[in-house]
């Protein structure tokens, strides 16, 4: 597989022989795509999506909004932003990224996205993590607003919330169910 400057033919053959889907991992996270406000860098993600298309692989986008993995500018900007300003920044990011890969704009298709990644408190599994830049700037509704932005950007997309131990921990699983309600 080839993305950026790395190339490993044995790994490429392994992936193509054993998988029908690949995940973007860090290539679609905020810090990789928008290291400076309004200046998106899609080169590596474009290369991954093009690779997937050439080899008839699906792509799972991971992750649009996350409690971690941000450059400095969102921390500084959101600290002094109003709720509406923070929402505008979040919506712009999600809309720009999801629309680019909606299969209609010449950059390929990422049909499935982890819209919000790990929103629950790692120390108190039944509660949302209130110590993220989006929760502090917007409040709990940042999750719903992120999903609305993703849906508006790609009507046919499939959007999910990603968190760990949901399948094995009853408290965490119930917290997700409660959030969905």
């Amino acid at each position: 597989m080839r993305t950026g400057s790395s190339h490993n033919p044995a790994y490429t053959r392994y992936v193509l022989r054993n998988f029908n889907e690949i995940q973007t991992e860090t290539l679609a996270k905020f810090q990789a795509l928008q290291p400076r406000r309004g200046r998106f860098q899609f080169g590596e993600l474009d290369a991954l999506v093009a690779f997937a298309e050439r080899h008839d692989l699906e792509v799972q986008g991971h992750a649009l909004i996350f409690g971690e993995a941000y450059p400095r500018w969102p921390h500084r900007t959101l600290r002094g932003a109003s709720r509406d300003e923070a929402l505008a920044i979040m919506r712009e990011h999600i809309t720009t990224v999801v629309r680019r890969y909606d299969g209609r704009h010449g950059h390929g298709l990422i049909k499935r996205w982890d819209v919000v990644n790990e929103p629950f408190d790692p120390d108190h599994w039944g509660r949302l993590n209130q110590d993220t830049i989006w929760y502090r700037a917007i409040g709990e509704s940042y999750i719903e607003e992120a999903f609305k932005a993703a849906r508006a950007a790609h009507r046919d997309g499939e959007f999910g919330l990603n968190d760990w131990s949901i399948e094995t921990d009853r408290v965490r699983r119930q917290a997700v169910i409660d959030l969905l309600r």
Side-chain angles (χ1 to χ4, degrees), residues 65-94:
I65 297 298
F66 186 24
E68 302 173 11
Y70 290 93
R72 286 189 190 107
W73 77 262
H75 292 280
R76 287 192 306 260
T77 303
L78 293 176
R79 194 173 309 130
S82 69
R83 181 179 187 281
D84 287 342
E85 291 167 330
L87 278 168
I89 290 167
M90 184 179 72
R91 287 174 181 147
E92 176 192 15
H93 180 81
I94 292 170

Side-chain angles (χ1 to χ4, degrees), residues 91-126:
R91 287 174 181 147
E92 176 192 15
H93 180 81
I94 292 170
T95 300
T96 301
V97 175
V98 172
R99 192 169 285 153
R100 181 179 184 88
Y101 300 105
D102 68 1
R104 297 181 184 103
H105 293 92
H107 300 287
L109 175 64
I110 300 176
K111 186 173 183 177
R112 282 181 297 285
W113 284 98
D114 294 331
V115 177
V116 177
N117 189 53
E118 300 178 5
F120 290 95
D121 191 313
D123 298 319
H124 300 91
W125 285 20

Side-chain angles (χ1 to χ4, degrees), residues 124-164:
H124 300 91
W125 285 20
R127 295 192 306 217
L128 289 174
N129 186 352
Q130 297 179 17
D131 193 31
T132 70
I133 62 174
W134 301 110
Y135 193 101
R136 287 191 310 261
I138 298 168
E140 182 176 327
S141 67
Y142 87 91
I143 297 170
E144 180 179 358
E145 295 297 333
F147 277 90
K148 285 179 182 178
R151 174 64 61 210
H154 185 191
R155 289 273 172 223
D156 300 323
E158 297 172 10
F159 305 109
L161 181 141
N162 184 62
D163 215 319
W164 47 280

Side-chain angles (χ1 to χ4, degrees), residues 31-85:
Q31 70 185 17
L33 294 180
Q34 195 179 174
R36 288 192 290 273
R37 186 172 183 179
R39 298 180 71 187
F40 288 85
Q41 297 180 351
F42 290 109
E44 289 189 39
L45 186 53
D46 282 352
L48 181 73
V49 172
F51 171 86
E53 287 196 337
R54 280 193 311 276
H55 298 286
D56 200 30
L57 298 169
E58 299 269 328
V59 179
Q60 167 79 25
H62 177 81
L64 296 167
I65 297 298
F66 186 24
E68 302 173 11
Y70 290 93
R72 286 189 190 107
W73 77 262
H75 292 280
R76 287 192 306 260
T77 303
L78 293 176
R79 194 173 309 130
S82 69
R83 181 179 187 281
D84 287 342
E85 291 167 330

Side-chain angles (χ1 to χ4, degrees), residues 14-31:
Y14 179 82
V15 168
L16 295 176
R17 194 171 44 250
N18 292 288
F19 300 97
N20 63 359
E21 179 178 281
I22 56 178
Q23 187 183 67
T24 60
E25 194 53 37
T26 60
L27 297 180
K29 289 185 177 174
F30 204 109
Q31 70 185 17

